[in-house]
Amino acid sequence: MKILVCVTSVPDTITKITLTDNNTKLNKAGVQFITGPYDDYALSRAVDLKEQLGGTVTVLNVGGADAEPVIRKCLAVGADDAIRVNAEPTDAYFVAEQIAAIAKENNYDLILMGRESIDYNGGQVHGIVGELLGLPSISPVMKLNIEGTTAQITREIEGGHEDLEASLPLVLGCQEPIAEWKIPNMRGIMSARTKPLKVVEPTGNDTLTQVSSYELPPARGACKMIPAEEAETLIKLLRTEAKVI
């Protein structure tokens, strides 16, 4: 089985975000980047499937050279090789277009990625990739098993879960608890240094959106402590100040 796992390089969840270029870009100075957490779930399940069924796992990232430490970590976790499309991930369609181009060349049985990245939280890429390739796209997938050429899937829906079956190949957006995150061991870290990482130039230039500006959330207000015996005061403040009741 040939599995493609698409990963994002995103700011660490504890990063203090600042903006630059008239609030149109993230200021990357001093920012620690990590693999998107949902992508980590996708990669972990891909490695599990490879160990169970045999085959290969290829990691794909659309990004600059600064994303390569994140890619090498994915190789250390258990991916066999990696591809980096040498372009900034400007919008969901552009990223999906690059993924689809790579997938068409290599005929993967399964394309996995996180249900969304944690920087833009768009949740669009898997659906667009499926459309461009003419393949089913399902998200958010919480459980995945493969029997022959059939995928047995559980996904989250409003108010519950849905069990599905779909024929390979297909595109899946993943989330917990599809697998447990894997921590690279020393052997994996050492072997990742010599695993193939191919850099390719992007295809097309279909950036369909442009950022006007970003805004940081408002600063948190002061915390008011209300004595437990003053419930009426708390209710009044929730009505008049917080305006949540």
Side-chain angles (χ1 to χ4, degrees):
M1 173 176 286
K2 293 178 64 176
I3 304 174
L4 179 67
V5 181
C6 309
V7 301
T8 54
S9 176
V10 298
D12 197 335
T13 52
I14 61 172
T15 297
K16 184 177 181 180
I17 297 297
T18 60
L19 302 172
T20 186
D21 288 4
N22 198 28
N23 292 336
T24 61
K25 293 182 180 179
L26 167 71
N27 182 6
K28 295 184 178 182
V31 174
Q32 175 69 38
F33 285 83
I34 61 171
T35 309
Y38 294 117
D39 302 327
D40 265 328
Y41 286 116
L43 175 61
S44 295
R45 187 62 186 132
V47 172
D48 288 343
L49 289 172
K50 182 185 76 168
E51 293 173 351
Q52 294 169 12
L53 305 173
T56 60
V57 174
T58 298
V59 168
L60 171 61
N61 170 263
V62 180
D66 55 355
E68 292 195 3
V70 166
I71 298 171
R72 288 293 178 190
K73 180 184 175 184
C74 294
L75 292 171
V77 165
D80 298 286
D81 63 306
I83 301 170
R84 178 174 67 82
V85 178
N86 188 31
E88 287 299 314
T90 49
D91 70 4
Y93 186 86
F94 177 77
V95 171
E97 191 177 37
Q98 308 313 310
I99 295 170
I102 297 295
K104 287 177 181 177
E105 292 178 359
N106 295 279
N107 296 318
Y108 295 101
D109 300 296
L110 187 61
I111 301 173
L112 302 180
M113 62 189 76
R115 73 174 197 188
E116 62 185 8
S117 62
I118 64 165
D119 46 6
Y120 294 103
N121 299 98
Q124 303 175 61
V125 173
H126 43 76
I128 300 174
V129 170
E131 179 67 20
L132 292 174
L133 295 174
L135 298 177
S137 173
I138 301 170
S139 181
V141 176
M142 306 171 63
K143 184 177 179 181
L144 170 65
N145 290 305
I146 304 295
E147 293 288 343
T149 59
T150 301
Q152 300 170 343
I153 297 162
T154 299
R155 71 165 179 168
E156 184 177 11
I157 59 174
E158 186 174 355
H161 301 152
E162 181 179 47
D163 294 327
L164 304 167
E165 286 192 353
S167 297
L168 302 178
L170 72 163
V171 182
L172 303 179
C174 305
Q175 69 169 38
E176 75 285 354
I178 193 169
E180 293 185 3
W181 283 350
K182 298 185 183 299
I183 299 174
N185 55 32
M186 184 56 66
R187 181 179 179 181
I189 293 170
M190 296 299 291
S191 65
R193 297 178 180 179
T194 58
K195 288 182 178 180
L197 196 172
K198 181 181 179 182
V199 179
V200 300
E201 293 304 313
T203 61
N205 189 28
D206 295 323
T207 299
L208 303 182
T209 59
Q210 184 175 356
V211 175
S212 298
S213 67
Y214 294 111
E215 293 183 10
L216 296 175
R220 293 183 179 180
C223 179
K224 291 185 178 181
M225 302 298 292
I226 308 298
E229 62 272 13
E230 297 183 17
E232 291 184 1
T233 301
L234 174 61
I235 293 170
K236 181 180 179 181
L237 291 173
L238 290 174
R239 284 176 175 166
T240 59
E241 293 190 14
K243 295 181 180 180
V244 295
I245 60 173

